Amino acid sequence: MSARTVVSSASSSAPSPMELLRSRGYIALLVLGAVIGAPVAIVAYFYLEAVGRAQRFFLTDLPHDLGFAGTPVWWPIPMVAVGGLLVGLSLRYLPGTGGHNPADGFVAGPAVSARDLPGVAAASLATLAFGAVLGPEGPLVLIGSGLAVVIARLLKRDAPDKALVVVGASGSFAAISTLLISPLAGAFLLLEAAGVGAGMASVVLAPGLLAAGIGALIFVGLDHVTGFGTFSLAVPNIPTLGAPTVGQFGWAVAIGLAAGMLGTAIRRLAFQLQPYVSRRVLLATPLAGLVVGGLAALFAAVSDKGPEQVLFSGQDALAPLIRQAGTWSVGDLLLLVACKSLAYSLSLSSFRGGPTFPGMFIGAAAGVALSHLPGLPLTAAVGMGIGAMTVVMLGGLPLTAVLLTLLFLQADAINLISVVIVAVVVAWVTAARLSPWLRPRPGR
């Protein structure tokens, strides 16, 4: 759901923010936002639980059920290929486009109609469950938006289009905020993605914040009722970082430059492959899945780590990677960054999901590898790597990149903030300077 559209729609009707705030219709929107937050959060909760269970089943339980002592090294190859085939079938035969193009970064795009919801759900579940390297945040935004509009139409069939725009944005807020630790993190992401500003933003998007707050309460309640656990992404028990040093600021510049180049290369390859994928989607998506699975198998065969480090978005593997940094060799970390980056690029080109978490994981892995160098503590290296890669893979959004990094590493946020900001800004500017090279020229 586009928050920019929300603001444009509201601005075209001319009333000031205070006039909207005092109107009876605005109070109704606030109430509707609170009502919508609960069902959207429930759907988001069970969507994430279904993804987690499906990932465990296809990677761990299924090979055991088929008689294997463990997961064979080659197992990811057919699994991700099957996911690619299912994604291709959903893109070909279900209405809509299956969601946003993840290679574009995080984009607050147009609303999703009820007709398009099955395609978004099918393509994203096939992507996430079978191991493609994308996250759930993009589909959650679209599913939350579409569900909110459906609920609003059921409650009030003659609801005006402008109200439905705000309601859809509220659904997006509720869905994404349940994943990104807090309602404020979701607000930052959607506001910055849409380029919203001025006094109208607070008035128009307040129903979304209310929906997000209600959704967060629902998540806590469902955790107690179901016992499935929470989806908090904060990393506990990280090494303590002291005050930043001059050397760490130098490292922040270097990491920002490297992330700007690596992230741009990942997106460039995805954009180069997309024209071929779109012409032969039923062939290209399974083929991309085969290569992604092959990269995971290669990593598992060469290292002493599992293929899940390369597969999936990395959101569940991020905290263990940081906490168990001492068990990783530099060679394995560099191989992980290379394999995950290539698998990420292929997934961006062919599958449907969100671009945030794989970039964060790659940044963290690179940070752990760099922390073996002098003058670069582990926590600082990981924070700078996460922030710098996040801003590039989101297609900008520096405020969100800084906020997400500090929320993930919140135990040392105060000491991290200055060097993370430097790394994020340098990566953002580097990627902007490289942007003319990002997309291949037409006809090539």
Side-chain angles (χ1 to χ4, degrees), residues 8-260:
S8 300
S9 300
S11 299
S12 63
S13 60
S16 69
M18 287 305 298
E19 288 174 332
L20 282 175
L21 193 60
R22 290 193 296 264
S23 68
R24 181 178 299 177
Y26 186 74
I27 300 300
L29 277 177
L30 286 174
V31 173
L32 189 56
V35 170
I36 284 171
V40 168
I42 291 171
V43 170
Y45 183 92
F46 286 104
Y47 175 90
L48 292 172
E49 177 63 21
V51 167
R53 286 179 176 244
Q55 290 175 346
R56 290 189 294 272
F57 173 77
F58 288 116
L59 186 65
T60 305
D61 297 344
L62 183 57
H64 181 268
D65 293 342
L66 292 176
F68 294 101
T71 302
V73 170
W74 51 264
W75 185 261
I77 299 174
M79 284 297 97
V80 190
V82 169
L85 177 60
L86 294 175
V87 171
L89 289 170
S90 66
L91 295 180
R92 172 64 65 86
Y93 296 111
L94 292 179
T97 61
H100 299 148
N101 176 8
D104 287 330
F106 190 92
V107 179
V112 176
S113 67
R115 179 175 175 269
D116 294 341
L117 278 176
V120 172
S124 63
L125 286 172
T127 292
L128 301 173
F130 286 91
V133 187
L134 291 172
E137 71 281 2
L140 277 178
V141 166
L142 297 175
I143 292 170
S145 166
L147 283 176
V149 172
V150 169
I151 294 169
R153 288 195 181 277
L154 289 174
L155 294 175
K156 188 175 177 59
R157 292 187 178 181
D158 59 345
D161 290 341
K162 292 179 182 178
L164 292 177
V165 169
V166 178
V167 167
S170 300
S172 294
F173 266 74
I176 193 65
S177 297
T178 51
L179 175 68
L180 297 180
I181 302 172
S182 74
L184 286 180
F188 261 76
L189 179 61
L190 291 176
L191 284 170
E192 197 174 14
V196 174
M200 189 63 74
S202 298
V203 174
V204 173
L205 295 174
L209 284 173
L210 184 58
I214 297 295
L217 291 175
I218 294 297
F219 252 50
V220 173
L222 286 174
D223 173 38
H224 290 297
V225 171
T226 65
F228 289 156
T230 65
F231 297 99
S232 174
L233 301 174
V235 180
N237 304 320
I238 59 174
T240 301
L241 177 69
T245 65
V246 174
Q248 289 175 26
F249 281 98
W251 277 115
V253 173
I255 290 173
L257 287 169

